[in-house]
Amino acid sequence: MVVDVTSLIGAEEFLLSQNRRDTPEDPFARQCFVEIVQSLIFMSQVYVAHPVLHTPEPKDFGERPYLLRALVDAGLLHPLCLDQARQEASVALEASAVHDLQTVHGLTSMARFVEQAFVCDTAAAGGQDALSYRIRDWSAFQERQVRRVTGHHGERISTHDGVEEDAFGVWARAAAVMLGQALEGIAAPAQGDYLMATLARGMKYRARAEAAGVSYQSHPMRRDFSLTFDMTREGADESRVLDLIRSVRGIHTTLSRAAGPDESHRVQLLQLELPLLGGRLWVPSETGRCDDRGWIELVASRIRRYRDRAADLRAAVERCVTDEDYVRLARDIEGVKRQLLERLGLRRAELSAVERELIGTVASVGEVATGVPIVSGLWFGARALGKQFSFAGAQPFQRFLYREFVGAWRRAGR
């Protein structure tokens, strides 16, 4: 899988804000952190694309973000390098993407993206920040904390406006002029061309990922534009691996529904505890003790260890080839949900035929009315140990998921 530098910047901002015990300036930071961690756990290889070079080395990305360098040093992340044949394929795919941008689809997609930002604002409910505000705040964050920082964006794209000197950059500058007034509502002042280039660059990364034969996990904001663009051209399919990730996240959703309002706070803590769901890899008492670089290196080492622990789950995902394989894995994950509901006392376990027969015959059972057994505490204790405190699944990855959720549930009850 290919991730982009913008997502790593957002994930780093979330981590640094936690170390500062403050709110992240990047409004997409939490989501970037979740998706980066999940990619590192679920995917066999994770690559990062350079905005200009086809065969970059780690030093070509600059000193920032620290998270990029720390993940590379830990062997978790690798620069995306294309050999000659893949470079030629990438050039052709990038040319096709630029051609699409230059047609009516490109400008229509961008106009729809801007329009949808305001539509989302109107439809937003509760305390969620308006999408146009989030994009504008992201744009301002990039100007303050990325473009102006030595060893950061300027190391990757060294132009005066931070926009690359290629066909994508030419289109971005032209689109910023065409949409100038509309962009004032979602981009920080004088940042329209930078925002347009950021969105268009996602199509470049996707072309390079396709040439390399791997999937592309884009920054959340780029994904919105990419989906808008694809829908304009009749749509694109979702990755099946991402569907499996949703299945794992669905365990949390299932527990939330079963727990009800009485346990809602505990379920929220459960989600925060699990790195599988983008949860914490540290305890609050550890924050504030390291400088920025030291903190990032600490978290990268924790991700490395957690990835090693999740090897069985990752292997199960990698073994999926056919649709039947994916259905089977999703069914096995569903089995973990059922066991967890019983183990955590959120759903009563059904008695098997053998257990029903035992209830009718053991000496510890009496009847006060026909068909209504009274079962002693001894029997209930044995059943709890046999059915709730162990997981009978034969698959190692099922036992891993089970242990992770049970352990997090216990910690969330503190």
Side-chain angles (χ1 to χ4, degrees):
M1 167 172 282
V2 174
V3 298
D4 53 42
V5 180
T6 310
S7 292
L8 291 165
I9 292 170
E12 176 178 277
E13 171 61 13
F14 176 78
L15 292 174
L16 294 180
S17 71
Q18 297 298 295
N19 194 39
R20 297 189 302 260
R21 299 170 186 170
D22 198 359
T23 302
E25 292 186 45
D26 182 349
F28 297 101
R30 166 88 186 171
Q31 187 173 353
C32 288
F33 169 73
V34 169
E35 294 180 357
I36 289 294
V37 170
Q38 288 184 345
S39 296
L40 293 169
I41 290 172
F42 283 92
M43 301 300 172
S44 57
Q45 294 285 343
V46 182
Y47 303 93
V48 57
H50 193 279
V52 176
L53 304 176
H54 282 110
T55 57
E57 297 180 7
K59 65 180 182 181
D60 295 320
F61 289 90
E63 289 298 316
R64 298 287 305 271
Y66 297 138
L67 182 61
L68 189 158
R69 300 302 297 269
L71 293 176
V72 169
D73 291 343
L76 296 169
L77 187 67
H78 309 275
L80 180 67
C81 294
L82 305 179
D83 58 25
Q84 189 59 42
R86 287 175 173 173
Q87 283 186 42
E88 293 173 1
S90 177
V91 168
L93 290 167
E94 289 176 38
S96 175
V98 170
H99 175 267
D100 287 339
L101 283 170
Q102 292 171 339
T103 65
V104 66
H105 294 307
L107 196 57
T108 299
S109 296
M110 185 56 68
R112 286 184 181 177
F113 176 80
V114 174
E115 179 184 357
Q116 286 171 358
F118 294 108
V119 170
C120 289
D121 292 353
T122 303
Q128 183 177 11
D129 292 336
L131 179 58
S132 63
Y133 291 171
R134 280 184 284 153
I135 296 174
R136 188 160 58 249
D137 288 346
W138 173 89
S139 182
F141 161 76
Q142 286 277 319
E143 173 63 13
R144 289 192 307 271
Q145 302 294 344
V146 179
R147 286 188 59 188
R148 294 185 182 181
V149 173
T150 302
H152 214 320
H153 182 80
E155 289 292 313
R156 296 181 290 274
I157 302 176
S158 58
T159 57
H160 72 282
D161 58 358
V163 177
E164 55 264 60
E165 295 288 1
D166 61 9
F168 287 97
V170 171
W171 179 86
R173 293 186 182 95
V177 173
M178 292 287 291
L179 298 169
Q181 187 171 359
L183 284 177
E184 291 178 2
I186 64 171
Q191 295 299 308
D193 52 355
Y194 186 82
L195 175 60
M196 293 297 98
T198 300
L199 296 173
R201 199 176 301 128
M203 301 187 69
K204 182 196 299 185
Y205 291 156
R206 186 170 63 176
R208 293 185 179 181
E210 185 177 344
V214 294
S215 59
Y216 169 48
Q217 178 72 62
S218 69
H219 183 274
M221 186 176 63
R222 281 191 176 118
R223 188 178 311 121
D224 289 344
F225 170 64
S226 179
L227 289 174
T228 300
F229 190 89
D230 285 331
M231 286 187 291
T232 304
R233 296 189 306 167
E234 299 179 351
D237 293 332
E238 288 270 5
S239 165
R240 290 182 296 182
V241 173
L242 295 179
D243 288 339
L244 291 175
I245 294 176
R246 292 191 189 95
S247 295
V248 173
R249 293 181 65 82
I251 296 176
H252 173 262
T253 303
T254 299
L255 297 180
S256 298
R257 288 196 298 265
D262 293 340
E263 294 277 16
S264 60
H265 181 65
R266 191 177 184 188
V267 171
Q268 290 173 359
L269 289 174
L270 168 71
Q271 186 174 29
L272 288 174
E273 287 284 350
L274 282 172
L276 275 168
L277 304 178
R280 66 168 61 98
L281 291 152
W282 59 89
V283 295
S285 61
E286 293 177 299
T287 61
R289 295 184 175 184
C290 305
D291 62 12
D292 286 353
R293 176 165 281 178
W295 174 249
I296 293 297
E297 290 173 353
L298 173 66
V299 174
S301 69
R302 299 275 174 85
I303 295 174
R304 168 83 264 179
R305 290 203 293 270
Y306 196 88
R307 175 183 163 84
D308 292 342
R309 286 170 53 196
D312 291 328
L313 176 60
R314 189 167 55 257
V317 173
E318 292 170 359
R319 283 194 298 268
C320 290
V321 177
T322 65
D323 288 339
E324 289 77 11
D325 294 331
Y326 283 90
V327 171
R328 188 179 300 110
L329 181 55
R331 182 198 61 200
D332 290 342
I333 293 173
E334 186 66 31
V336 177
K337 293 183 188 179
R338 290 194 297 271
Q339 290 275 0
L340 284 168
L341 289 172
E342 295 173 6
R343 161 64 182 88
L344 303 178
L346 300 176
R347 186 180 69 190
R348 179 175 295 179
E350 295 294 329
L351 296 177
S352 68
V354 172
E355 290 168 335
R356 285 194 296 270
E357 182 179 351
L358 284 172
I359 286 178
T361 58
V362 296
S364 62
V365 176
E367 288 187 348
V368 294
T370 304
V372 183
I374 298 177
V375 185
S376 74
L378 175 65
W379 170 258
F380 273 134
R383 176 164 174 75
L385 288 173
K387 290 294 183 179
Q388 294 189 356
F389 282 81
S390 64
F391 181 60
Q395 297 295 329
F397 85 86
Q398 288 180 296
R399 291 193 290 273
F400 166 74
L401 286 175
Y402 178 80
R403 288 194 303 268
E404 290 301 294
F405 276 85
V406 168
W409 179 267
R410 287 173 174 167
R411 292 191 299 272
R414 61 185 183 278

